[in-house]
Amino acid sequence: MESRLRIKTGIEVLDTELNGGIPNGSTVLISGASGVGKTTLSMEFLINGAKLGENGIFFTATETVPKLKKYQGGFDFFDENLIKSNKINIIDLWSISDRLGLHPERYDLEEATILFEVIRDIAKELDAKRLVIDSITSLCYRLQTREMIRDFIFKLGSSLSALMVTTLLTSEIPPRIYKFSQYEIEEFIADGIIFMGDSERKGDLIRTLQIVKMRGTSHGRTKFVLTMSKKNGIELAPMLKSTI
Ligand SMILES: Nc1ncnc2c1ncn2[C@@H]1O[C@H](COP(=O)(O)OP(=O)(O)O)[C@@H](O)[C@H]1O
Ligand SMILES: [Mg+2]
């Protein structure tokens, strides 16, 4: 089968800014504070892929599966049939961890390896083309050292890339801080960083999105205003500098 070079996010302006989409097999950090839209953007990415026939897996580590389905079900893009038909699988990462008998708070090296192998094997088994871990920050919290975090993300990224799986890792950071990841290791290993922020404009908080890095492609670095609506999901529009 011909493997495509670009994976369209389905968010039009973002794909244009990426010159067609995310380079196939990349691992991209979706960084931002709570409430900026990381989970929604990641889910929309999977749904848009599934509509093109590409299988997706959403590993949730911040919300339970029923809660995630309930909230994402509030957007028109969310199509329950894609889950029923297994085009998209939503999996609770901690349930897997529990079932494997891994330590609930801190993993040792062997446990980290087991979890990494299980994620990779599930991706292979389900023939995934797109994968999300929401969030990598809460997973990093269970890895005891910076070396373990580096090793985990590196091994995960390279084996998913070998399978031609394009991966989004959400990264939680404190509000209104220009930083991309909690441990500052994640951002160096990831192939790309998309930063979602808050900006104050005339007293209102507005959401913004900016591509910070994307290996293997030229891309714009424009800061866009991001809006979320039930009808249209995530939309981007240029930020009008004069009104800031
Ligand atoms: N149906 C909806 N229409 C528009 N905005 C919504 C809708 N549902 C949720 N939101 C917005 O999405 C935000 C949560 O987005 P989410 O993707 O969970 O953010 P994050 O994962 O970055 O914390 C909420 O705070 C709310 O403002
Ligand atoms: Mg979230």
Side-chain angles (χ1 to χ4, degrees), residues 30-170:
I30 307 295
S31 299
S34 178
V36 290
K38 301 180 298 297
T39 299
T40 308
L41 183 137
S42 305
M43 184 61 85
E44 203 174 337
F45 166 77
L46 288 193
I47 300 263
N48 288 336
K51 287 174 181 167
L52 296 172
E54 298 173 0
N55 292 351
I57 309 176
F58 195 107
F59 286 101
T60 176
T62 49
E63 295 165 66
T64 63
V65 175
K67 250 191 175 173
L68 181 65
K69 280 191 193 166
K70 188 178 149 208
Y71 292 145
Q72 294 299 313
F75 290 98
D76 289 354
F77 66 73
F78 192 80
D79 182 354
E80 185 82 31
N81 290 323
L82 295 171
I83 294 168
K84 289 192 184 123
S85 61
N86 286 324
K87 291 305 290 174
I88 290 181
N89 277 273
I90 303 180
I91 300 174
D92 187 322
L93 195 61
W94 302 146
S95 302
I96 293 189
S97 174
D98 288 348
R99 262 185 271 153
L100 292 167
L102 306 185
H103 193 279
E105 277 157 28
R106 289 278 189 267
Y107 297 146
D108 61 24
L109 249 178
E110 193 191 340
E111 290 176 309
T113 305
I114 291 173
L115 190 65
F116 147 70
E117 287 174 353
V118 166
I119 293 173
R120 181 199 57 198
D121 292 349
I122 292 175
K124 210 170 176 176
E125 182 82 14
L126 297 175
D127 192 25
K129 292 282 168 284
R130 301 181 183 218
L131 188 144
V132 170
I133 297 181
D134 185 26
S135 69
I136 195 65
T137 314
S138 50
L139 181 54
C140 286
Y141 184 71
R142 294 194 180 194
L143 302 169
Q144 299 184 27
T145 62
R146 297 172 71 84
E147 286 67 33
M148 281 176 72
I149 294 173
R150 180 180 300 125
D151 193 54
F152 187 91
I153 302 177
F154 181 75
K155 282 201 300 202
L156 186 73
S158 31
S159 55
L160 290 175
S161 180
L163 294 170
M164 279 305 181
V165 178
T166 303
T167 303
L168 302 187
L169 306 174
T170 67

